[in-house]
Amino acid sequence: MKPIPSQTLQQRILILSVFVVASCGLAYELIAGALASYLLGDSILQFSSIIGCYLFAMGVGSHLSKYVKEEDTLACFIDIELLVGLLGGLSATLLFLVFAWMGTPFRTVLYVLVFLIGVLVGMEIPLVMRVLNRQGANKPDFAEIVSNVLTFDYLGALAVSLLFPLVLAPKLGMARTALLFGLLNAAVALWAAHTFKHEIKAHRAKQTRAAIVLVLLIGGFCYADRLTQWSERGLFGDEIIHAQTTPYQRLVVTKWKDDLRLHINGNLQFSSRDEHRYHEALVHPTLEKLPWAKRVLILGGGDGLAAREVLKHKNIQQITLVDLDPAMTDLFSHSEPLVKLNQGAFINPKVHIINADAGQWLEQNTEQFDAIIADFPDPSNFGLGKLYSVPIYRLMARHLSENGLLVIQSTSPYFAPRSYWCINATLKEAGFYTYPYHAYVPSFGEWGFILADKKGNYTPPTQYTEPMRFLDGEVTKLMFTFPADMKPWPVEANRLNNQKLVHYFEQDWRQVMR
């Protein structure tokens, strides 16, 4: 067999490095988009703006690459790889720290970081192509260079786009995923500094810098969890007893004295000190009017707290709970303090847990239920907004018995009035009669719910058969009465083609934050 000339082997390895470079570039873009969505909400806006900024920056980088002198191409490529590795590798940790400890400049830091990484990534491919094009007798023609480089560029992008949501983010988390790709960039730089040492001035200095960056990133990788927990401790203020990144969300459970709190993507979901108010108000005005009910469907409610309240009604024989995230239901099935909080709801034989998208499950399933309880997160993005839409409510109607009742967690009628009354209008357009009500939950303020039926004959209960910590007949009567500052707003229903609810939600909470 004819031996491969060393120059040809170098070319092939350099082209293979494009695969790594492309993977790293897309990974940093995905990490920035995912982190912005976790911390700021509205995934479409965050991903769109970050992708736009990143692509624009890559264009700037490609333009700037032409100013690199031919004799400095390799040296510049190595320096860029080290810079990308350092900035990109530390990007997630830095953004966590800024959000937790500084707050206000987070968006500025986010887009500056995305722009800088984009510029550097935009310079990489042109420089690689120039290095390949200047190789000696064994150099391929330019058309072959372009073809090979772009092929491996796109293959690298495909690989990371599949690995990121399925393996890297859920297994390593954002901070360690970024550091892993930073290490790959630094490794490419170290390889290039060693392989092309005869063509680079001061190649030992390049190798030393690459080794230093590698050591820094390895140290960051080893201590990433501690740094993330430290930043989240600054964000939440309390001791973190559980933190987990799933394919769907970031789960953080904190504790202060006897108060357990669940945060999803940085947003408080409940405080154990007052969650009984929320969950009693969510469940019992519905089930108290259905003493004959046997089958209940809970959509969302992966913490088991709504299921705990449903189980207080002895007539209930089966609870089907559909929640998207298996990590959520698993956490509240096995963590001792959380199982104690939901009183072992998920180990009760009456409760059947299904981890699936609620919309898809409603469409594919044909079961009927006497009561449906929708305990979804607030409609802060289009993925959640669809769960509050006319088509989803019509699917719910198909699963609800003729005399059954439906109740929806509906945000705050005080802080988010457009959102609240939009949900009410959406239920009406789906064919329901609606009965809006609200309850005061200290952790959230005035919170809203909407009860609905098919016949229009619901009346609130005047007493409860089971003892309650919060509810009684008088409290319930007040819940279905709205004061002047929470009266209905003229709003549109939420349809899939316009997602008005998400826009209302953003508008409402933007005004609250001013």
Side-chain angles (χ1 to χ4, degrees):
M1 177 180 281
K2 185 178 179 180
I4 300 173
S6 61
Q7 200 167 52
T8 303
L9 183 61
Q10 289 176 357
Q11 291 166 3
R12 291 181 180 182
I13 295 176
L14 195 57
I15 291 173
L16 281 173
S17 74
V18 173
F19 180 89
V20 177
V21 166
S23 300
C24 296
L26 183 60
Y28 302 137
E29 185 180 0
L30 291 171
I31 289 164
L35 264 180
S37 299
Y38 279 9
L39 300 174
L40 301 176
D42 189 5
S43 57
I44 290 182
L45 173 62
Q46 307 310 332
F47 269 102
S48 296
S49 58
I50 284 169
I51 289 170
C53 177
Y54 193 80
L55 291 176
F56 169 71
M58 286 180 67
V60 172
S62 295
H63 175 75
L64 292 176
S65 68
K66 73 178 185 180
Y67 296 107
V68 177
K69 295 179 180 178
E70 196 63 35
E71 62 271 20
D72 297 331
T73 307
L74 265 172
C76 186
F77 173 73
I78 292 168
D79 288 337
I80 286 171
E81 286 303 292
L82 292 175
L83 277 172
V84 172
L86 203 55
L87 279 177
L90 296 173
S91 60
T93 304
L94 177 62
L95 289 171
F96 269 126
L97 292 171
V98 170
F99 188 83
W101 295 100
M102 299 175 70
T104 305
F106 176 78
R107 286 182 186 272
T108 303
V109 174
L110 171 67
Y111 287 105
V112 167
L113 202 55
V114 168
F115 183 81
L116 290 175
I117 295 171
V119 169
L120 294 170
V121 170
M123 296 181 72
E124 289 173 324
I125 301 302
L127 291 177
V128 169
M129 293 173 71
R130 285 171 61 181
V131 171
L132 287 168
N133 193 46
R134 79 180 194 189
Q135 297 295 305
N138 294 310
K139 76 172 183 180
D141 62 47
F142 189 70
E144 185 179 351
I145 291 173
V146 173
S147 173
N148 290 336
V149 168
L150 294 183
T151 296
F152 280 92
D153 184 23
Y154 297 141
L155 285 174
L158 173 64
V160 78
S161 66
L162 295 174
L163 288 172
F164 179 76
L166 299 176
V167 179
L168 297 172
K171 299 295 183 184
L172 294 179
M174 295 296 166
R176 279 189 168 170
T177 298
L179 286 159
L180 173 64
F181 284 100
L183 284 167
L184 291 175
N185 276 125
V188 168
L190 186 60
W191 167 82
H194 173 73
T195 303
F196 297 98
K197 60 185 177 183
H198 299 299
E199 302 179 40
I200 303 170
K201 297 175 182 178
H203 66 274
R204 292 190 184 279
K206 300 284 186 190
Q207 292 177 19
T208 301
R209 284 201 292 271
I212 291 171
V213 171
L214 276 170
V215 169
L216 287 173
L217 293 172
I218 290 170
F221 190 87
C222 294
Y223 290 95
D225 287 345
R226 292 188 185 181
L227 289 169
T228 303
Q229 288 175 8
W230 182 64
S231 65
E232 287 179 326
R233 192 174 294 116
L235 177 61
F236 302 122
D238 301 333
E239 177 191 359
I240 295 171
I241 62 172
H242 180 85
Q244 180 180 7
T245 300
T246 81
Y248 309 103
Q249 54 202 355
R250 175 74 175 171
L251 304 175
V252 176
V253 180
T254 64
K255 183 179 181 180
W256 185 73
K257 295 184 178 180
D258 63 342
D259 185 17
L260 289 172
R261 296 188 172 209
L262 171 68
H263 305 261
I264 295 180
N265 296 343
N267 299 312
L268 178 65
Q269 302 303 300
F270 70 74
S271 163
S272 61
R273 288 189 171 180
D274 57 23
E275 57 80 17
H276 68 279
R277 284 188 167 224
Y278 173 93
H279 290 100
E280 285 185 8
L282 174 69
V283 171
H284 298 296
T286 296
L287 291 186
E288 189 64 36
K289 300 295 289 187
L290 302 173
W292 48 268
K294 292 180 172 56
R295 293 163 54 82
V296 175
L297 172 64
I298 301 175
L299 301 170
D303 50 30
L305 300 175
R308 177 197 67 197
E309 296 301 315
V310 174
L311 287 167
K312 292 179 180 178
H313 294 261
K314 307 303 185 226
N315 52 296
I316 302 301
Q317 297 177 0
Q318 179 184 329
I319 300 170
T320 300
L321 185 141
V322 181
D323 190 274
L324 179 63
D325 195 346
M328 177 82 163
T329 52
D330 185 68
L331 175 63
F332 281 84
S333 298
H334 296 98
S335 171
E336 184 177 346
L338 300 177
V339 171
K340 182 179 179 181
L341 185 62
N342 66 27
Q343 296 176 9
F346 286 163
I347 58 176
N348 190 297
K350 292 182 180 180
V351 179
H352 177 48
I353 298 172
I354 299 170
N355 294 119
D357 178 89
Q360 293 178 8
W361 187 88
L362 287 168
E363 191 170 3
Q364 296 165 4
N365 194 273
T366 58
E367 294 180 70
Q368 288 270 306
F369 298 91
D370 302 315
I372 299 176
I373 298 166
D375 191 18
F376 297 128
D378 288 341
S380 58
N381 59 57
F382 293 108
L384 291 170
K386 73 173 184 180
L387 300 174
Y388 293 80
S389 65
V390 172
I392 294 294
Y393 290 158
R394 285 178 176 158
L395 284 174
M396 290 183 189
R398 280 175 21 193
H399 290 271
L400 188 66
S401 63
E402 283 304 306
N403 295 311
L405 294 173
L406 163 70
V407 64
I408 309 287
Q409 181 286 116
S410 305
T411 79
S412 171
Y414 184 81
F415 295 110
R418 298 174 186 84
S419 309
Y420 180 81
W421 295 108
C422 174
I423 295 170
N424 188 64
T426 307
L427 282 163
K428 286 183 175 180
E429 183 156 320
F432 287 103
Y433 294 91
T434 64
Y435 311 90
Y437 65 103
H438 60 98
Y440 180 73
V441 182
S443 293
F444 301 105
E446 287 292 340
W447 209 256
F449 312 87
I450 300 173
L451 202 147
D453 67 11
K454 296 180 179 180
K455 295 188 174 180
N457 54 13
Y458 174 83
T459 56
T462 57
Q463 61 182 8
Y464 293 90
T465 54
E466 298 296 329
M468 303 287 165
R469 296 175 61 187
F470 169 59
L471 288 183
D472 60 25
E474 285 301 312
V475 169
T476 302
K477 182 179 178 180
L478 291 172
M479 291 196 318
F480 284 83
T481 303
F482 282 79
D485 59 358
M486 289 195 291
K487 291 298 184 183
W489 283 57
V491 289
E492 297 180 40
N494 186 43
R495 303 175 184 87
L496 286 178
N497 68 325
N498 61 16
Q499 291 265 26
K500 292 295 292 185
L501 177 59
V502 178
H503 297 295
Y504 288 141
F505 187 84
E506 291 174 359
Q507 189 176 1
D508 286 332
W509 288 103
R510 192 181 303 121
Q511 290 186 352
V512 171
M513 298 302 290
R514 285 176 181 171

